[in-house]
């Protein structure tokens, strides 16, 4: 009988700002019904049109700190005066169902996820821009940053890119669809890892027993 159950994985995508990881995560989620997006928690104010539990889980600073202290955050960080983190509950629930969870986090978030109790589930992918010029052009085209902010993001990209050596996989986003295809190939291969296939060892043993019985029966017939 074919094995249908497996242990879910945690797909972590990181990149310098502007390299395209958020767009890649969205496309992967759209194309794969077994891949869910991890929704982060934050203490920043909710913007118009945002819905609690969809864009973020919006928490007070006090509640956020309580959850960190209680071990209910898999990773967290302070960013520009606000706190961001990954709630443990939804991730644990998805993995328990054999589903995969995608994370759009930086290298610090990735390190914390690797060090968490689910660290052996992590498959980390770093997305590189094709060039410095292309990265700067993408940031300019977004139109979100002042010149000062843009220079800060470019300076920060140096440190982030050097961190890619600690990731399982590195892909270059020089062609969006080709990059999506590459990451989907990674996911497919990781899903087939022996230890992720629930019940595989039992099935192997059953098949081995069947062969032993078959061979034993054949030997008796021959004698």
């Amino acid at each position: 009988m074919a094995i249908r159950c497996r242990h879910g994985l945690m797909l972590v995508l990181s990149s310098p700002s502007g390299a395209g990881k958020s767009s890649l995560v969205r496309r992967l989620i759209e194309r794969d019904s077994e891949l869910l997006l991890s929704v982060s928690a934050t203490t920043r104010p909710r913007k118009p049109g945002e819905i609690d539990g969809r864009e973020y889980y919006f928490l007070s600073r006090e509640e956020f700190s309580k959850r960190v202290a209680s071990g209910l955050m898999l990773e967290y960080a302070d960013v520009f005066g606000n706190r961001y983190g990954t709630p443990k509950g939804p991730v644990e629930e998805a993995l328990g169902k054999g589903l995969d969870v995608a994370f759009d986090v930086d290298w610090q978030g990735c390190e914390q996820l690797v060090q968490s109790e689910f660290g052996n589930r992590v498959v980390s992918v770093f997305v590189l821009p094709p060039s410095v010029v292309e990265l700067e052009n993408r940031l300019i085209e977004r139109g979100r940053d002042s010149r000062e902010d843009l220079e800060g993001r470019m300076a920060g990209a140096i440190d982030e890119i050097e961190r890619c050596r600690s990731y399982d996989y590195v892909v270059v986003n020089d062609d969006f669809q080709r990059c999506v295809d590459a990451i989907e190939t990674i996911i497919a291969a990781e899903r087939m890892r022996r230890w992720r296939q629930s019940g595989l060892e039992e099935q192997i043993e059953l098949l081995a027993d069947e062969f032993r019985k078959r061979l034993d029966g054949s030997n008796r017939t021959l004698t």
Side-chain angles (χ1 to χ4, degrees):
M1 182 175 66
I3 298 169
R4 299 182 182 277
C5 298
R6 63 179 177 81
H7 300 292
L9 59 83
M10 297 164 61
L11 178 70
V12 179
L13 263 67
S14 303
S15 75
S17 181
K21 73 177 183 299
S22 297
S23 297
L24 288 166
V25 168
R26 285 195 297 270
R27 180 63 62 85
L28 292 165
I29 296 290
E30 290 171 0
R31 290 162 57 103
D32 192 336
S33 61
E34 295 186 10
L35 184 64
L36 306 179
L37 177 64
S38 172
V39 179
S40 298
T42 183
T43 61
R44 77 156 172 77
R46 189 186 313 186
K47 296 178 181 178
E50 290 184 330
I51 297 175
D52 185 54
R54 186 180 68 183
E55 282 78 17
Y56 290 96
Y57 295 105
F58 294 95
L59 306 176
S60 66
R61 294 190 68 85
E62 181 181 8
E63 178 61 25
F64 193 104
S65 297
K66 284 182 180 179
R67 296 194 185 190
V68 169
S70 300
L72 298 178
M73 290 288 182
L74 290 178
E75 61 85 24
Y76 57 92
D78 294 318
V79 182
F80 300 119
N82 294 304
R83 308 196 76 183
Y84 293 82
T86 299
K88 174 181 174 180
V91 174
E92 187 172 28
E93 181 180 356
L95 294 176
K97 294 178 179 178
L99 298 172
D100 305 318
V101 185
F103 298 80
D104 177 353
V105 297
D106 64 10
W107 65 269
Q108 293 170 305
C110 182
E111 281 192 352
Q112 290 183 62
L113 290 173
V114 169
Q115 293 166 7
S116 75
E117 63 190 275
F118 302 116
N120 65 336
R121 306 287 189 95
V122 171
V123 176
S124 57
V125 181
F126 196 94
V127 181
L128 287 174
S131 68
V132 173
V133 172
E134 180 63 23
L135 180 64
E136 185 172 24
N137 287 340
R138 290 177 185 179
L139 289 171
I140 292 171
E141 288 171 3
R142 292 196 317 186
R144 302 178 191 172
D145 305 304
S146 65
R147 188 65 205 178
E148 183 179 356
D149 290 336
L150 178 62
E151 291 175 356
R153 292 189 186 279
M154 291 297 293
I158 300 171
D159 181 57
E160 293 178 87
I161 288 172
E162 290 179 342
R163 302 282 179 174
C164 77
R165 296 183 180 91
S166 65
Y167 281 67
D168 299 319
Y169 301 92
V170 176
V171 297
V172 178
N173 188 12
D174 54 354
D175 179 276
F176 184 76
Q177 188 54 53
R178 187 163 56 205
C179 193
V180 170
D181 293 341
I183 298 172
E184 287 181 331
T185 300
I186 292 168
I187 295 171
E190 289 289 340
R191 284 173 173 169
M192 292 303 295
R193 282 190 181 271
R194 177 177 53 77
W195 69 268
R196 283 202 174 96
Q197 298 186 57
S198 178
L200 177 60
E201 294 301 324
E202 291 82 354
Q203 182 170 358
I204 292 172
E205 192 57 39
L206 286 172
L207 285 171
D209 284 342
E210 288 181 15
F211 275 106
R212 292 188 193 102
K213 291 175 182 177
R214 178 69 177 271
L215 290 172
D216 185 55
S218 296
N219 290 335
R220 289 180 181 179
T221 301
L222 291 172
T223 58

